Amino acid sequence: AATFSGSAGVGAPQYADAIETGDYARAEALTRDLLEFLKTNPETPHLSAVQRERFVKPRLAVALALGGKVGEAQAVVDTTLSA
């Protein structure tokens, strides 16, 4: 299960560990869990949007791309707000 701490939860050691060990499916699952958490338990609408767009979705795209799901990663990037 994902934990919600640090930078929208993705600063948690589980994500970094998954990426560093090449367990991209686990990194993907952690970020998807966090997206679901933000959808169902928003702290505030604005804060949840910032967390989702600036932290979680970009890291989901990284996990997908490293896991060989480049098309899915591009789709995530295409739906992420730009600066």
Side-chain angles (χ1 to χ4, degrees):
T3 56
F4 193 77
S5 63
S7 301
V10 293
Q14 297 94 330
Y15 177 85
D17 180 64
I19 292 294
E20 289 174 9
T21 61
D23 191 351
Y24 307 124
R26 181 171 160 237
E28 177 186 347
L30 287 166
T31 54
R32 289 192 188 280
D33 286 350
L34 286 164
L35 285 172
E36 187 62 29
F37 178 87
L38 289 170
K39 186 185 331 177
T40 59
N41 299 295
E43 295 175 27
T44 66
H46 177 72
L47 181 56
S48 292
V50 169
Q51 291 170 330
R52 182 180 60 251
E53 299 298 322
R54 300 286 184 224
F55 299 104
V56 183
K57 287 173 71 177
R59 294 200 178 154
L60 173 59
V62 168
L64 288 167
L66 290 172
K69 299 177 181 179
V70 177
E72 286 182 56
Q74 185 62 54
V76 170
V77 169
D78 290 344
T79 64
T80 300
L81 298 175
S82 60

